[in-house]
Amino acid sequence: MATQTTASCTGSTLLQPISEIINLPVDQVNFVACQLFALLMAVWFRLYLHPSKTSPFIRHVVATLLGFYLALFCFGWYSLHFLVQSGLSYSVMVFVGLEHMHKYCFIVTLGYLILCQITRVYVFDYGMYSADFTGPMMVITQKITSLAFEIHDGLAKREGQLTPSQKYLAIRRMPSLLEYLSYNCNFMGILAGPTCSYNDYMAFIDGTCYQPRHQENANGKENGKYKQIEPSSKNDVISKLCTCAVSLGIYLSLCKLLPVEHSINDDFVSSTPFHLQVIYLYLAMLALRPKYYFVWTLADAINNAAGFGFNGYNKDGSPRWDLISNLRILDIEFATSFKMFLDNWNIQTALWLKRVCYERCHINPMAATFLLSAMWHGVYPGYYLTFLTGIAMTMAARAVRHNIRPYFLVSDSHKRIYDVVTWAGTQVAISYTVAPFVLLAVGRSLKFYRSWYFCLHLLCLLVVVALPVKSRRQQAKEPRDGLKDNRTELDSTDNNCNQKDKAT
């Protein structure tokens, strides 16, 4: 395997000719090729290494070795960082006492990720979007920190101290090194995730991930029908691959026609009416999102093809394969609130933030969660501007929802008007908030906000100040309500609580 260490590619150059033909960076070609290879291996893994035919040990070994091969092909020897990060964290889990193990593991894992991000950004390729080695490390960081907290919950806490979700996720024994590496670096999720719970992954490896859902979700005559049959993921995989093809086609067609950077072009700003600038920004962000739809949906399809991701049955008896899905595209594009957009975007990361930060932080959990999200994403200043703006947007959105929305629920026509207005407002607010995330640098981000006269920042401040301040009792109740809403969202994607789907 030929490798090179450059800013543009750190992995194999075997596919360089294809890269030149289709005019895409070789690192991106490597990534897509490895994901397609992983899809084929996933089908093979389910057919020939099925739990009924082979032992969990063999499944762990094969999944781990294939994962390391894909990492080496894409990132060369930079993939050793995956082993170093995992090894350091495992050492902390083994040698540090259970009382504080999760805290030290969190610091070591996140600190190593940030150190690698600083090195990559400020030493090698500042401002370049490439399939770099820190992307998989972000997912591994989620897995390691989740695992540490789940071990702490299972071995150092009493049952009464845990929520129902934490009771299911709690781990009652220390994972072996092979199980740990398989969970972190298996071929299904090494390149693009998504994050999953350790217990869900072990149930998949052992072949016990179907039976509980059969018993709890099937009813009547269907109980006997579905109890003995392992559900097929073929239809869901095909559907998700079609979504990938459409998303990739849209992205490649529009990404160069509608660059976000054009929104800060001096000639564009000076010659374009403000309302057209707003429309352009929305269209530019709309053209950018299919890239994430492609990556996350393909990753989901790979896991489903291997037999991982089963989440019970629908009312009509059809199997659901959305246990580790990372997005719901229609709910994103037609979101009528800031919260609805965030609940359906990068779902597994939102669950990780909720489990390791929001539920456990006693001082301003919302701000702490946004800060952790910014640190996890990277060291570009634009990330921090985005998440700081996100805090203001969230506070203003909550105020509007609690104080204004009830007046529009008196009739269906009023509700439809409210939905249309809030949809438009949500799309503009998301585009405005996320712009620095794409522009990256402080100068360009502030230039963008100046061209908009910081209007949404000022509007958020005005809304928070002008709307009635809630009583202490209401303020104390609101986080519980928020956690209840989030738990409902969790139940639709997590197999720890097989309850009814969340109603939008």
Side-chain angles (χ1 to χ4, degrees), residues 241-257:
L241 291 178
C242 291
T243 300
C244 290
V246 173
S247 299
L248 183 61
I250 293 174
Y251 173 70
L252 294 178
S253 301
L254 299 180
C255 65
K256 294 183 179 180
L257 295 177

Side-chain angles (χ1 to χ4, degrees), residues 1 22 29 41 54 63 103 107 142 147 171 176 197-198 203 207 236 245 270 330 368 371 377 389 447 460 464 493 503:
M1 179 185 302
I22 62 178
V29 174
M41 289 297 99
T54 188
K103 299 176 183 177
I107 294 172
Q142 290 182 346
L147 182 66
I171 298 171
S176 69
S197 79
Y198 176 80
D236 289 80
S270 61
L330 293 180
L371 178 60
H377 275 91
T389 304
K447 183 178 180 181
C460 289
V464 172
T493 56

Side-chain angles (χ1 to χ4, degrees), residues 114 117 353 368-380 383-388 437:
I114 293 175
Q117 289 173 331
L353 291 168
T369 302
F370 273 104
L371 178 60
L372 173 59
S373 183
M375 296 172 63
W376 173 79
H377 275 91
V379 293
Y380 287 114
Y383 295 164
Y384 291 84
L385 288 175
T386 286
F387 288 106
L388 287 174
F437 196 95

Side-chain angles (χ1 to χ4, degrees), residues 204-247:
F204 157 71
I205 290 293
D206 296 338
T208 59
C209 56
Y210 307 112
Q211 190 66 23
R213 290 186 186 78
H214 297 177
Q215 295 173 344
E216 294 182 23
N217 287 274
N219 54 68
K221 296 181 180 179
E222 295 177 352
N223 189 43
K225 178 180 179 181
Y226 293 109
K227 190 173 181 180
Q228 304 298 327
I229 301 175
E230 183 175 314
S232 172
S233 61
K234 181 178 68 173
N235 292 337
D236 289 80
V237 170
I238 293 174
S239 174
K240 290 173 183 179
L241 291 178
C242 291
T243 300
C244 290
V246 173
S247 299

Side-chain angles (χ1 to χ4, degrees), residues 282 332-337 418-428:
Y282 165 70
I332 290 171
E333 297 300 340
F334 295 100
T336 57
S337 70
Y418 178 83
D419 288 342
V420 171
V421 172
T422 52
W423 171 82
T426 297
Q427 298 302 322
V428 173

Side-chain angles (χ1 to χ4, degrees), residues 96-123:
V96 175
L98 286 174
E99 187 66 28
H100 301 290
M101 172 268 295
H102 58 301
K103 299 176 183 177
Y104 291 123
C105 191
F106 182 87
I107 294 172
V108 170
T109 306
L110 186 63
Y112 192 84
L113 171 66
I114 293 175
L115 178 64
C116 290
Q117 289 173 331
I118 291 173
T119 303
R120 184 190 70 84
V121 170
Y122 293 105
V123 176

Side-chain angles (χ1 to χ4, degrees), residues 290-435:
K291 175 176 70 173
Y292 298 95
Y293 296 164
F294 168 76
V295 172
W296 289 337
T297 305
L298 179 57
D300 195 17
I302 292 169
N303 282 271
N304 292 168
F308 188 27
F310 176 66
N311 195 29
Y313 289 96
N314 295 307
K315 293 181 179 180
D316 61 358
S318 60
R320 289 168 50 202
W321 288 88
D322 61 352
L323 176 66
I324 54 175
S325 296
N326 235 344
L327 50 81
R328 301 183 185 94
I329 296 176
L330 293 180
D331 289 337
I332 290 171
E333 297 300 340
F334 295 100
T336 57
S337 70
F338 207 80
K339 181 183 184 301
M340 183 178 175
F341 188 100
L342 296 180
D343 282 349
N344 293 286
W345 174 269
N346 207 352
I347 296 170
Q348 301 307 318
T349 293
L351 291 177
W352 170 70
L353 291 168
K354 172 178 175 286
R355 292 167 183 168
V356 305
C357 185
Y358 190 85
E359 289 183 338
R360 302 175 190 268
C361 182
H362 303 294
I363 302 175
N364 203 338
M366 184 185 71
T369 302
F370 273 104
L371 178 60
L372 173 59
S373 183
M375 296 172 63
W376 173 79
H377 275 91
V379 293
Y380 287 114
Y383 295 164
Y384 291 84
L385 288 175
T386 286
F387 288 106
L388 287 174
T389 304
I391 295 175
M393 291 289 180
T394 301
M395 294 174 63
R398 283 181 178 178
V400 169
R401 182 174 181 82
H402 287 290
N403 291 278
I404 296 179
R405 185 173 182 268
Y407 293 105
F408 289 86
L409 299 181
V410 294
S411 67
D412 291 340
S413 59
H414 285 69
K415 180 62 167 58
R416 283 193 290 270
I417 294 173
Y418 178 83
D419 288 342
V420 171
V421 172
T422 52
W423 171 82
T426 297
Q427 298 302 322
V428 173
I430 288 292
S431 301
Y432 179 89
T433 302
V434 174

